[in-house]
Structure formats: structure tokens, C-alpha cells
Amino acid sequence: MLTGDDEDERGTGGTDPETRFLTDGDDLDAVRSEVVSFVKDSVTKASARGVVVGLSGGIDSTLTATLAVQALGSDRVLGLGLPAREPDDSVQEARTMAEGLGIEFRECDLRPLVDLFEDHVAPEVAPTGGRTAVGNVVARLRMAALYYAANARSLLVCGTANRSELLLGYFTKFGDGAADLFPLGDLYKTEVRALASHIGVPRRIVAKEPTADMWIGQTDADEIGARYETVDPVLRLLVDRSERVETAVAELDIDPTVAERVAEMYVDSLHKRAVPPTPGVDGRGQGGSSYPLHLAPFSDRL
């Protein structure tokens, strides 16, 4: 178990265990071992036959599938390629990685379903729905396919989100944010890249521009407003060390608007990370969300 109590400088971020990233060899070996054990234990406890992973050809899904194979063996991991836009070269990359891992790979083009939704459903329920709304439909259709496979084959849905995405709310609620387990959920994107390189994920995949593949040309950096190299240290300070935005700006020497944007995304997406609330009749309430008081100024609705 990684405790973060080491006093020596190991990995990006210095000696403070609340700010450094797990990026050196010893840390990454320990991370790999812990994630592999987590996947194995999760499947065993659920009495499942294995896991299904949505493969996009990107770093998160490739690393997730690789670690799942190390935990369970290639015969207990199913990869699904679920393209929903044209052109989509990522499917070929996903197929190549699946072949390299020795796992079963199935491809299903969701474009006809997306077209059907846009032509028949969207005009009836919300004619003014924009690109983001349709993009979220794409993410939810992909998850529907993954859960169909999981239910039919007695598998767990192995989500591919990392800690950066989860904290920012950079995922679709009940879309890619829905899963039975998130093997990379404790790792910042900085650490995901380091672990992927460490265990031999091809350099071309590690170096790819991150994207949610919701529409052509979309990138994480454009949607978030900054690259993960900037965002991750801000999250470490605001969330893990409970520092104020002004402190993060001063310590990291970054544009205040970037730190404020990160804080706003974290606070505004709390509902995505919480169990849906109930009214609390007779003291039976559950769910809901709360935000750290030091980030209260960035909440305009909670």
C-alpha cells in the first residue's frame, strides 16, 4: 500500500507527500502492483468472470486494459471499440492494442444510433440541444453497450477515468462516469502517463493529445482551458492539500484565471461524484454533496 510517508524526494513535486506525484520507478512499481491487486480483488468479490473495457486507442483505456490483463489474464478481458464519428482512426489503434494484449475485441459502430437520436429524439425533446448535449448522448450510448456486454457475459465494467478527470468533472454523468471500478481513479494524468511509459505502453499512445472523442477535433486542453501539466499541480494543492486558490497561484506561478477555472470545475461537478440525494424523510436521507469551505467562493449553486 502506498502511504505517501516517504521523506526522500521521489517523483515530481518534491518531498511533501501531499504535493508530489508518483512518477519514479519505485513508486510506479508499487502503483502497478496495487492497481493489479485491486482489479483482481474486485472481480473475485463480485464473482464475475472478468471485465469489459471500452477501448479508444488512447492512453487511459490502453493502460486500463493492460493492467486488467496483468490482473486477470487475457482470456478474462473483453475490449469494445465503439466509434461514433467519422473519420475515426482510433478504432484501428484500439484493435492493434487488443491484438497485442491477446484479448477478445469487438467493434460496433454507434454512428447509426447517434444519427437516429439526432433525427428523431432530439427534435422532439430539445430541438435546441447543442454539440455538448449530443456528445453526452454518445458517451451514454457507449456505456449502454459496455453494460450490455457486462450483463450478458457476467463481467464488470472497467472504467478508464483518471483522478484528474474525476475531480474536474470532466466526464459524462452516467456515461464514461459510470463503471463498476476505476483502476486509474486515484492517479492524476501526470501519473497515468508515467505509469504507461513505465510498463511499456507504446510511445505514440502516451504522446497522443488527450480527447474524450465526443466530436471531431475535441481536445481535453480546449475544454478544460489548460493542459494537465498545469491542471494537476493545481488540483494537488486545492484538493489534496486544501490550499486556497491564491496560495496555488503564488506557489505555482500560474495565471489566476486557470486556478479559478480548476476550482470552479471541481466545485460545480460535485454532484457528478455523489450519490443522487433523497429528501431525507424520517431521517433516511442519503447522497448529496458538499464542498470544502476554502473553495466556497467558487460555488454559485451548491
Side-chain angles (χ1 to χ4, degrees):
M1 177 73 70
L2 292 172
T3 63
D5 293 331
D6 305 59
E7 294 297 329
D8 57 322
E9 186 169 347
R10 296 165 55 201
T12 305
T15 58
D16 187 344
E18 292 184 337
T19 57
R20 72 183 183 86
F21 292 101
L22 303 169
T23 56
D24 85 347
D26 290 342
D27 281 334
L28 295 173
D29 285 337
V31 167
R32 189 206 67 80
S33 178
E34 193 164 348
V35 172
V36 165
S37 294
F38 166 74
V39 173
K40 187 182 300 183
D41 291 346
S42 297
V43 171
T44 298
K45 289 176 182 177
S47 298
R49 293 178 180 174
V51 298
V52 56
V53 183
L55 291 177
S56 67
I59 185 173
D60 295 316
S61 66
T62 300
L63 179 58
T64 298
T66 300
L67 294 170
V69 168
Q70 292 181 5
L72 306 170
S74 59
D75 60 326
R76 300 178 69 191
V77 179
L78 169 66
L80 293 187
L82 301 167
R85 58 183 175 82
E86 297 289 348
D88 197 338
D89 297 331
S90 63
V91 178
Q92 181 56 51
E93 187 73 87
R95 184 183 298 108
T96 299
M97 292 311 304
E99 291 173 355
L101 291 171
I103 65 174
E104 179 184 354
F105 179 76
R106 296 295 181 95
E107 178 185 340
C108 179
D109 185 2
L110 298 182
R111 185 69 251 176
L113 288 178
V114 177
D115 289 342
L116 191 65
F117 187 93
E118 289 186 284
D119 292 341
H120 296 281
V121 180
E124 295 298 324
V125 300
T128 59
R131 184 172 63 175
T132 298
V134 174
N136 285 328
V137 169
V138 170
R140 291 175 180 132
L141 286 173
R142 287 174 175 151
M143 192 51 64
L146 288 166
Y147 266 102
Y148 176 80
N151 292 162
R153 299 190 182 210
S154 189
L155 306 173
L156 296 184
V157 174
C158 208
T160 62
N162 57 64
R163 181 167 172 79
S164 303
E165 295 167 338
L166 294 174
L167 291 180
L168 291 170
Y170 191 64
F171 58 89
T172 297
K173 194 173 185 177
F174 308 124
D176 52 328
D180 295 311
L181 65 158
F182 286 115
L184 307 183
D186 293 334
L187 302 179
Y188 286 97
K189 190 74 169 191
T190 299
E191 297 165 329
V192 168
R193 285 173 173 153
L195 181 59
S197 295
H198 186 67
I199 69 170
V201 171
R203 187 174 302 176
R204 68 181 184 279
I205 291 180
V206 176
K208 271 188 177 182
E209 184 70 28
T211 174
D213 275 330
M214 291 167 68
W215 58 78
I216 296 174
Q218 181 194 29
T219 68
D220 291 10
D222 287 343
E223 293 294 298
I224 296 170
R227 304 183 73 81
Y228 287 111
E229 297 94 307
T230 301
V231 170
D232 286 354
V234 176
L235 287 171
R236 283 294 266 156
L237 290 173
L238 298 185
V239 179
D240 298 336
R241 214 172 76 182
S242 299
E243 296 286 1
R244 294 181 178 276
V245 169
E246 305 82 54
T247 303
V249 169
E251 191 165 322
L252 300 172
D253 191 24
I254 61 171
D255 185 341
T257 59
V258 172
E260 290 168 2
R261 167 69 171 159
V262 170
E264 289 168 356
M265 290 185 71
Y266 172 69
V267 172
D268 288 347
S269 62
L270 286 169
H271 68 99
K272 290 186 172 185
R273 299 183 294 275
V275 175
T278 63
V281 174
D282 197 29
R284 302 169 188 169
Q286 66 174 6
S289 58
S290 60
Y291 54 85
L293 293 180
H294 71 287
L295 296 180
F298 297 93
S299 172
D300 57 5
R301 63 183 178 84
L302 294 178

